[in-house]
Amino acid sequence: MNQRWWDQATTGIWGVAPHHQNVVAFAARQWLDVFSPGNQFLTNPVALTRTVEESGANLVRGMNNLLDDIRRQVAALPPPGVEDFVVGRDVAVTPGKVVLRNRVMELIQYAPATGKVHPEPILIVPAWIMKYYILDLSPSNSLVRYLVSQGHTVFCISWKNPGLPERDLGMDEYLQDGFQAALEAIEAIVPGRKVHATGYCLGGTLLAIAAAAMVRDGQRERLASLSLFTAQTDFSEPGELGLFIDESQVSLLEAQMAASGYLRADQMVAAFEMLRPYDLLWSRLVEEYLLGNRRPMNDLMAWNADATRMPAKMHSQYLRRLFLDNDLSNGRYPVGGRPIILSTLDLPTFCVGTVKDHVAPWRSVYKLHYLSPAEITFVLTTGGHNAGIVSEPGHPRRQYQIATRPQGGGYLSPEEWAQKVEVQSGSWWQAWLTWLKGRSGELVDPPALGCASRGYMPIEDAPGSYVREK
């Protein structure tokens, strides 16, 4: 009843701009969560029952958990259990070599696992707000390992964790020294082959920008296809993340980053926790402090705790050009001093949205349908922004919908699409593999790791050095 009352009290207010109305409603929900009976000891029947049954031993364990968390916070230590998921030992273990390193990224080429491979290599562009190895977690749920095992040559960018020296790196540097440098290396190692370019989250946004610039400059033939996972190209409805992004908030962040040179990792983590307070905060506090049970760590949770920073210049440009001004969807985003237009992007595109995505809502991801005339195969899968992408075959209770709009085809609203398209059980990875196979040539011998004659000598074993930077 309290929730309903506050929802009515903070919506439909005359004279209040929609953005500020949403901010007030969001703040009210945060406070309601604070005072929720389930989050208080004296009004949580499960905690009271557990305390009687254990004669208070759960509260002793909970206090020890709290003191341990405070100690870890003060000492800047990771959560308990992270030590069981060491990068290069337990996660990010798919064999490969770093074949390129520059001031922005390392490029990893993975070793072939089959006698023959598809001729077109895959380049994965992850988001720079996360460590790349969410796509190469444990061997059982690694997308990279899955692709390699199915006869694909895979390259993946591993972004540098920026500090003060990188404060003046902007979006142009991430395009040039990131995507373009990686593409040039791949074309030297696997000459004469088009590339299946794949982007995840902001990496997908960066990839869409780069691909549109290539079409503009007559370089479309370098790419065989685009695959965009939970990647927004229109930011007019970015979801609740947009509550943190207005002129005053961006100006405050810019002032803070002017002093530090980057956005701290804990600032980004706190914002994501506020988007899903029950799942990421309150349920954990109740479980660990009131019930006295430490939640077991898993690979995805350990990856989530391995946060990154963002350069001041790049983050400011990203917030202003994409979120605030929505330049990309409006044909105003400049690359090389000239604007790019997504309506020229006609590469076959595989686009994935997730049902419970709080970072890139699937309806926002779906907007690509009216920005690009390309043939678009759209997938809507169960799960959230991260767990929906880590969706290996055999994962229980996974479902997805998939449909292809032909090039130049008509437009369906997201609601019409969701009602019309049949739900299928299983992993969308297999559907993507079939889609890639239909756009790949006959199997050939796998390429060597690196190309010494072109200056791409293997530097070190995967996962490289940048992913280990704290």
Side-chain angles (χ1 to χ4, degrees):
M1 292 175 64
N2 267 312
Q3 287 179 325
R4 285 198 296 268
W5 191 92
W6 279 105
D7 181 62
Q8 294 174 7
T10 55
T11 57
I13 309 301
W14 290 1
V16 179
H19 173 75
H20 292 110
Q21 181 175 277
N22 292 335
V23 169
V24 172
F26 179 80
R29 291 197 300 272
Q30 298 296 316
W31 279 108
L32 284 169
D33 284 337
V34 171
F35 295 108
S36 170
N39 296 333
Q40 316 300 322
F41 172 69
L42 294 178
T43 50
N44 185 317
V46 177
L48 293 174
T49 302
R50 179 70 60 84
T51 302
V52 172
E53 291 175 347
E54 297 191 15
S55 301
N58 58 304
L59 298 181
V60 175
R61 294 196 305 272
M63 179 58 69
N64 289 334
N65 291 340
L66 174 61
L67 293 175
D68 181 52
D69 286 347
I70 293 174
R71 179 184 65 84
R72 290 174 179 273
Q73 184 73 21
V74 172
L77 296 174
V82 167
E83 62 275 5
D84 296 328
F85 298 94
V86 177
V87 173
R89 188 194 72 187
D90 308 291
V91 293
V93 295
T94 304
K97 296 287 186 181
V98 174
V99 295
L100 170 63
R101 177 184 293 144
N102 59 33
R103 59 179 177 169
V104 166
M105 61 88 179
E106 291 177 334
L107 180 65
I108 300 171
Q109 179 185 359
Y110 291 94
T114 55
K116 298 287 185 177
V117 298
H118 295 285
E120 296 84 3
I122 296 173
L123 169 60
I124 298 176
V125 185
W128 53 85
I129 64 171
M130 59 178 70
K131 297 291 181 70
Y132 86 90
Y133 67 91
I134 186 175
L135 302 173
D136 186 25
L137 281 172
S138 304
S140 61
N141 60 2
S142 166
L143 177 58
V144 168
R145 182 178 288 263
Y146 177 73
L147 290 171
V148 172
S149 71
Q150 299 298 314
H152 288 281
T153 299
V154 179
F155 294 80
C156 185
I157 288 174
S158 174
W159 300 107
K160 180 176 177 58
N161 196 3
L164 186 58
E166 288 77 35
R167 65 179 302 154
D168 293 324
L169 294 180
M171 292 287 287
D172 287 344
E173 284 75 25
Y174 273 71
L175 278 169
Q176 188 61 42
D177 295 341
F179 174 78
Q180 288 294 342
L183 187 61
E184 290 171 7
I186 293 171
E187 290 173 339
I189 296 169
V190 192
R193 304 296 186 182
K194 296 181 180 181
V195 174
H196 291 301
T198 302
Y200 179 26
C201 185
L202 291 181
T205 304
L206 186 77
L207 175 58
I209 293 171
M214 291 175 67
V215 172
R216 180 198 66 189
D217 297 337
Q219 302 180 41
R220 178 190 182 282
E221 294 305 313
R222 298 171 69 185
L223 301 181
S225 70
L226 290 182
S227 294
L228 306 175
F229 305 156
T230 63
Q232 293 170 290
T233 48
D234 183 308
F235 289 81
S236 58
E237 296 178 305
E240 289 190 332
L241 193 60
L243 297 173
F244 301 95
I245 303 171
D246 57 22
E247 181 61 41
S248 60
Q249 289 288 336
V250 172
S251 296
L252 175 62
L253 282 175
E254 287 174 337
Q256 294 174 343
M257 292 188 297
S260 63
Y262 51 81
L263 182 74
R264 301 194 318 272
D266 62 299
Q267 291 174 287
M268 184 61 66
V269 170
F272 288 141
E273 285 185 345
M274 291 180 70
L275 294 180
R276 296 174 56 199
Y278 178 78
D279 293 334
L280 298 181
L281 182 62
W282 292 111
S283 63
R284 180 182 67 83
L285 298 185
V286 169
E287 184 75 18
E288 298 193 356
Y289 298 161
L290 299 186
L291 303 183
N293 301 325
R294 274 295 192 195
R295 284 189 173 183
M297 183 65 65
N298 61 36
D299 50 11
L300 189 57
M301 293 167 62
W303 165 85
N304 194 55
D306 193 6
T308 62
R309 298 177 292 273
M310 281 177 280
K313 182 178 179 181
M314 183 276 295
H315 194 54
S316 175
Q317 291 176 337
Y318 154 67
L319 292 178
R320 288 193 175 278
R321 286 181 174 177
L322 298 181
F323 271 93
L324 280 185
D325 299 333
N326 202 18
D327 284 347
L328 180 57
S329 68
N330 287 302
R332 296 191 301 262
Y333 191 91
V335 175
R338 293 185 295 146
I340 58 168
I341 305 173
L342 292 179
S343 61
T344 63
L345 197 56
D346 60 352
L347 287 158
T349 302
F350 191 92
C351 189
V352 180
T354 61
V355 173
K356 297 181 179 180
D357 199 327
H358 294 268
V359 179
W362 78 267
R363 288 173 176 81
S364 181
V365 173
Y366 184 87
K367 288 175 180 287
L368 183 66
H369 282 81
Y370 72 73
L371 295 174
S372 168
E375 173 200 289
I376 298 177
T377 299
F378 188 78
V379 171
L380 178 61
T381 182
T382 51
H385 187 73
N386 299 319
I389 299 303
V390 183
S391 184
E392 70 281 1
H395 194 294
R397 299 181 297 279
R398 282 292 190 234
Q399 294 180 326
Y400 67 94
Q401 296 167 271
I402 182 171
T404 298
R405 185 201 69 180
Q407 183 168 347
Y411 176 78
L412 282 177
S413 71
E415 291 73 23
E416 290 175 309
W417 187 95
Q419 292 176 1
K420 180 179 179 181
V421 179
E422 180 183 356
V423 175
Q424 303 184 39
S425 298
S427 168
W428 64 267
W429 286 12
Q430 294 167 313
W432 184 41
L433 200 72
T434 300
W435 186 88
L436 288 172
K437 184 177 180 180
R439 289 155 182 81
S440 301
E442 297 296 325
L443 298 178
V444 298
D445 292 331
L449 294 181
C451 179
S453 63
R454 300 287 298 275
Y456 296 105
M457 178 75 72
I459 299 170
E460 63 176 305
D461 289 337
S465 300
Y466 282 177
V467 72
R468 294 186 169 96
E469 294 180 334
K470 300 299 182 182

